[in-house]
Every structure is written in structure tokens, then in C-alpha cells.
Amino acid sequence: MKIVLPYISQVGETLEDNIITGGVEKHVLNIYKEFDCIPFEVGKHETRNYRNIIKRLELIIESHKPDIVYNNYLMKSFDSSTIPTLKTMHGLQMGGFLNLNYINYYNDRKSNHSFAGVSKLQERGFDELSQRLRNNKFVFDFITCPDYVKEKHIVEEPEYDFATIGRLEEWNDPLFLGKIAKDYDYKCFTTSIETEIGRSNTKAIKYLEKNKIPEENHYTDYPHDKIMNEISKSKVYVSTWPHESFGVAIMEALSKGVPCILCTKNNKLLKGKHASEEISPSPEYVRVIHKSSPKEEFIKAYEELSKLDRQKIADDTYEKHNKSKWKKQYEDAFRLTIERST
């Protein structure tokens, strides 16, 4: 099975460079490594050039005669009208009106497209919107797990109380954790994604100025493997972004034996839930807390979670999310998408 794999180059990287700049990018790299893929690079500056992208995509299809396109981005220019396309919707925001119309555009035409989601919470958001606007029930063709645990992990003695990772922007708010840790004299590891650490980034500058957190509480220039090594030394990982639909870092933390606090909100979509709850092999290994809750609630959750058996968390996460299970779900999704279009 040959797969055309479109991807957006954030910083001029190719898939061969093995650079990870975010969760979707890590997922695309996994697909590239494990399947017979024809990479289709689109520079970040090119993404608005719809006609040129479509033309280039169809030329690749004509030249290589692939079986399917796998599209991980909300871009019609990454979809093909000539061969089947499997489209994965990653974010919870993708329950929005425009994105529901994007799916219905293809479904109403009985096209050769399939749609996959990454959580039941995400599917519920689409379903509620679809029933309200179209009086139709909505279900994804597939619900897939974007990442996997590479190997079993032997847990280490913790060095940090808390850890988190996120973009230096207000909506992600990774320094939220540092403010709690500072008040209680806990040791905290926070880091930002590689593409966001430059001090020339306007949003990052404004965010750091507003929060006024000392530099020693935030680490930069850490590659992905080093970040995960540091997170493995933490007692608890905190996801500070309530709209995280499938937290790759949350899976990685659990795979290292690190239980998680998941921040949420009580808006119409979330209703106090967090999609990444579904990642955990047991509800015991995570705590979902409203982000505006008193700091004492976070500390209580930290104290409870830090008493859990870290090795059991790591072993259970590997059992649920190992590579063979991950790969089979995508093999099935690709195969069924192709079969439906014949």
C-alpha cells in the first residue's frame, strides 16, 4: 500500500530530518516511518496557495500511482478527488461549524473520503453540533490513536514535583504550572516547543512579559528526547491546555510512569471533561481539574497522584498503546477507506 503523506514544514524541515515540532508533526513522522509513504512537503508560507498545492498533489498521484492520501491538516488542498483520502481531525475546536461543513461537503457527495477522530469527546462535540444544525447524528468513520509507546520503560527516581510542556502563548499557558509550584516551593520543569522558543516570537515575548516568571523556572533549547527524559523524572505531569484533544505529551508522560493532572473548563464543549482522559489505561492515573480551581485542589491532586505505583502506570500504558496495536488501527483504516471507494 502506497500512501501520499502531505505535511507542513514548520521550519524548513523534511521528514528525513526527524525533527519534532508538535504533536501532529510527531504523528506524521510516525506514519512516515512505519508505512510506505510518498512525502509531500508544503512550506508554511505556501499553505494559502490552494491551487498550486492541489496541482502539485495531483502530479505526485499521477507520477507515483499511490493507493491513498493521508491528510492530517484541515486543508482541502491536501485532499484528492482522484484517489481515496483518509482525513484525521485532531483538535477539539474541529467540532466547529465550518469544520462540520467540511466533513458534510464530502459525505453529501458520497465521495471517496473517510474521516477519523482522536477521541470520543471530540466526536461528541461534532455530534451535538450536527444534531442541532442538521438534525443528523454524527459519528466518525474511525477513532484512532495518533501516537504509540515505543518500548517498556523502567521508572526512575523523581527529581521534579511537576512538569509540563507547551507553546509560549496565553492560550497554552505553560507557566501556569510554575506559578503554583512557586507558591508552594515545589520544583518544577517547564519547557516550550522548539519552534516557539525564539525570543523574536512576538506572542512568546508578550506572554513572558505578562507572567514575569524567572528564567530559571523555564527551560529552552531542549530537543524532544531530552524533554521526555526530564518529564520522566517528574512526579506529576500537568496539561495546561483544556482543548488538548489528544495529548501526545500526556501519553509519553504516562508511558514513563508519570500520572497527570488535566486542566479543563466548563464550556459547552468540554463540560468539565478532558479528551486526554481516554489516553490513560486507568482513570486512577489522571485527575481532571478546572483551571480556575483554587491552587489547593491542584496540590491535593499532586499529593494523591505522587503516591501511585509509577512502574504499574508505565507498564499499563505500554500494554494499551504499544506500536503493534497502533499500527493495526491505521492499517485497518487505510484498507477500509480504499475498499469503500472501489
Side-chain angles (χ1 to χ4, degrees), residues 169-171 173 175 179 202-213:
E169 295 180 2
E170 199 65 42
W171 56 267
D173 195 17
L175 298 182
K179 288 177 276 189
T202 304
K203 291 182 179 179
I205 292 171
K206 289 182 179 179
Y207 175 71
L208 288 170
E209 289 177 347
K210 178 180 178 180
N211 287 278
K212 296 182 174 62
I213 298 296

Side-chain angles (χ1 to χ4, degrees), residues 96-104 126 129-130 133-134 138:
F97 174 73
L98 292 176
N99 305 311
L100 180 64
N101 282 345
Y102 175 86
I103 295 174
N104 289 329
F126 274 106
L129 188 63
S130 181
L133 298 178
R134 294 170 59 99
F138 177 92

Side-chain angles (χ1 to χ4, degrees), residues 184 261 287-290 292-304:
Y184 287 83
I261 293 174
R287 297 288 186 277
V288 181
I289 302 177
H290 195 285
S292 64
S293 297
K295 295 178 181 178
E296 291 77 11
E297 191 169 337
F298 288 89
I299 299 306
K300 180 183 177 183
Y302 158 78
E303 291 174 347
E304 293 174 349

Side-chain angles (χ1 to χ4, degrees), residues 40 45 56 77 91 116 226 260 303:
F40 173 41
H45 64 284
R56 287 172 55 203
S77 53
K226 191 171 183 181
C260 300
E303 291 174 347

Side-chain angles (χ1 to χ4, degrees), residues 160 187-192 215-222:
Y160 307 103
K187 191 172 182 181
C188 177
F189 173 85
T190 68
T191 187
S192 51
E215 281 295 307
E216 60 264 24
N217 289 320
H218 187 84
Y219 301 83
T220 58
D221 297 315
Y222 272 42

Side-chain angles (χ1 to χ4, degrees), residues 7-267:
Y7 72 97
I8 296 175
S9 174
Q10 300 285 349
V11 290
E13 77 277 13
T14 67
L15 295 178
E16 289 82 2
D17 293 330
N18 203 36
I19 295 174
I20 296 171
T21 57
V24 172
E25 290 77 16
K26 186 172 189 291
H27 172 62
V28 170
L29 189 59
N30 286 340
I31 295 290
Y32 175 69
K33 288 178 177 179
E34 298 300 324
F35 292 90
D36 183 8
C37 293
I38 304 156
F40 173 41
E41 178 186 356
V42 174
K44 196 171 182 180
H45 64 284
E46 298 180 272
T47 54
R48 295 182 182 275
N49 196 339
Y50 177 88
R51 291 183 179 178
N52 185 54
I53 295 172
I54 283 286
K55 183 178 180 180
R56 287 172 55 203
L57 175 63
E58 297 303 334
L59 284 173
I60 286 176
I61 291 170
E62 183 180 346
S63 174
H64 292 273
K65 303 295 188 294
D67 301 290
I68 191 170
V69 173
Y70 182 46
N71 180 357
N72 270 271
Y73 302 87
L74 195 64
M75 295 179 64
K76 286 185 181 179
S77 53
F78 283 0
D79 301 328
S80 174
S81 60
T82 57
I83 67 169
T85 295
L86 174 62
K87 166 77 179 178
T88 294
M89 316 289 275
H90 283 272
L92 284 181
Q93 305 95 318
M94 298 190 183
F97 174 73
L98 292 176
N99 305 311
L100 180 64
N101 282 345
Y102 175 86
I103 295 174
N104 289 329
Y105 171 83
Y106 291 110
N107 287 345
D108 291 347
R109 288 160 177 75
K110 295 181 171 57
S111 71
N112 58 359
H113 288 61
S114 292
F115 289 88
V118 295
S119 74
K120 286 291 185 182
L121 180 61
Q122 182 193 37
E123 185 177 64
R124 190 196 73 192
F126 274 106
D127 183 47
E128 290 179 355
L129 188 63
S130 181
Q131 294 202 46
R132 187 166 73 248
L133 298 178
R134 294 170 59 99
N135 200 31
N136 287 338
K137 184 167 180 59
F138 177 92
V139 293
F140 282 117
D141 297 304
F142 313 99
I143 292 183
T144 53
C145 175
D147 203 7
Y148 63 88
V149 179
K150 291 183 179 179
E151 57 190 6
K152 290 185 177 181
H153 178 75
I154 305 301
V155 301
E156 306 173 52
E157 191 65 28
E159 294 181 12
Y160 307 103
D161 294 293
F162 291 109
T164 195
I165 179 173
R167 287 185 170 88
L168 288 175
E169 295 180 2
E170 199 65 42
W171 56 267
N172 204 302
D173 195 17
L175 298 182
F176 167 79
L177 173 61
K179 288 177 276 189
I180 294 177
K182 182 182 177 183
D183 288 349
Y184 287 83
D185 200 28
Y186 284 131
K187 191 172 182 181
C188 177
F189 173 85
T190 68
T191 187
S192 51
I193 296 171
E194 287 184 4
T195 55
E196 300 297 328
I197 62 177
R199 291 300 184 260
S200 60
N201 183 304
T202 304
K203 291 182 179 179
I205 292 171
K206 289 182 179 179
Y207 175 71
L208 288 170
E209 289 177 347
K210 178 180 178 180
N211 287 278
K212 296 182 174 62
I213 298 296
E215 281 295 307
E216 60 264 24
N217 289 320
H218 187 84
Y219 301 83
T220 58
D221 297 315
Y222 272 42
H224 178 264
D225 58 346
K226 191 171 183 181
I227 289 172
M228 293 319 304
N229 183 57
E230 296 302 311
I231 287 177
S232 73
K233 300 175 186 176
S234 301
K235 292 182 180 179
V236 174
Y237 179 84
V238 181
S239 169
T240 58
W241 187 32
H243 286 271
E244 185 81 69
S245 65
F246 190 99
V248 170
I250 293 166
M251 173 186 283
E252 292 181 316
L254 289 166
S255 75
K256 306 293 186 184
V258 182
C260 300
I261 293 174
L262 310 176
C263 297
T264 189
K265 292 182 177 180
N266 286 327
N267 57 28

